[in-house]
Amino acid sequence: MLHDLFPPGIQHALDLAGIFVFATAGALLAVRKNFDIFGIAVLALVTALGGGLFRDLVIGAVPPAAFGELSFFVTPLIAAGLVFFLHPEVQRINRAINVFDAAGLGLFCVTGTTKAYEYGLGLTASASLGLATAVGGGVLRDVLVNEVPSLLRDREMYAVPAVVGASMVALFIAFDTLNGLTTAAAIITTFVLRLLAIRYHWRAPLAWNRRSAVAEEP
C-alpha cells in the first residue's frame, strides 16, 4: 500500500528525515540532562526508532525495519554526533526543529497506520499502532530520563494531532479513498494541528472541575 502511494525512494527519504528529526530531539534532551556521549546516542536511537520498533514487533514484521535497514540505524547516530558537537547551534534553531518534528509526527502516524493495516490488523488497531509509531519513541525517551511521558500529560497537544491523522487514514481506508492526495491531507492536517498547538499553547482537557479541587502538578 505504501509503495503504491509513494515511490520507494521518496518513501525512504521521508522515513530518514523523520528519524533524523526525532533523533535530534532525543539527543538535545540528553544534553539538557547532562548525559555523556553514550547516553546521547542511546536517547537519540530510542526516540527515533522506538515507535516503529514497537509497531513492527506487534504486527510480526521481523526483523524490524530498524534492524533490517542500516541507514535507519546510522541516521540517529549521525544526529547524536551533530548534537554532541554542535548542540548550542542546534538549540538556536529549536523553532525549526519543532517544525520538522511536527512533520515527522504526521508522516509516522500515517505510515504506521497503513503498515499495520497491510499486515492484517483492523482499522481501529491500525490507527492505534499509527499513534504508537508516532509517539512511542517519545514515551520511551521520557521513561529513560525519569519524566512523566508527554503522552500522559499532553502539553501543547502532541498526541492528539497524531490521533487525528491516524484516524483520517483509517477512515480513508474504510471508504476505499486512500491515495496520494488523501494521504498528504492526513499528514498536513497532523502537521498543521501540531504547529497551531505550539503557537497557541493548546492542550488536551483536564479532568472535569479538577482545578477547583486539586492544584495541577508542575
Side-chain angles (χ1 to χ4, degrees), residues 8-96:
I10 293 177
Q11 175 64 38
H12 188 68
L14 291 173
D15 283 340
L16 290 181
I19 287 171
F20 182 85
V21 170
F22 282 169
T24 300
L28 284 173
L29 178 59
V31 170
R32 289 197 292 270
K33 293 289 184 178
N34 203 30
F35 287 7
D36 60 17
I37 179 60
F38 184 76
I40 294 171
V42 168
L43 215 59
L45 284 165
V46 165
T47 306
L49 303 178
L53 179 62
F54 174 78
R55 177 204 61 213
D56 288 349
L57 291 176
V58 169
I59 64 179
V62 291
F67 295 101
E69 177 62 54
L70 181 62
S71 60
F72 287 177
F73 194 79
V74 171
T75 299
L77 297 180
I78 294 174
L82 290 174
V83 170
F84 180 77
F85 289 106
L86 303 173
H87 64 87
E89 287 73 20
V90 174
Q91 286 175 321
R92 291 193 189 102
I93 61 170
N94 189 57
R95 194 171 288 180

Side-chain angles (χ1 to χ4, degrees), residues 153-155 203-204 206 210-218:
R153 299 182 64 180
D154 199 7
R155 297 183 186 277
R203 61 176 303 175
L206 301 176
R210 179 174 179 274
R211 290 185 180 276
S212 63
V214 181
E216 181 181 1
E217 294 180 6

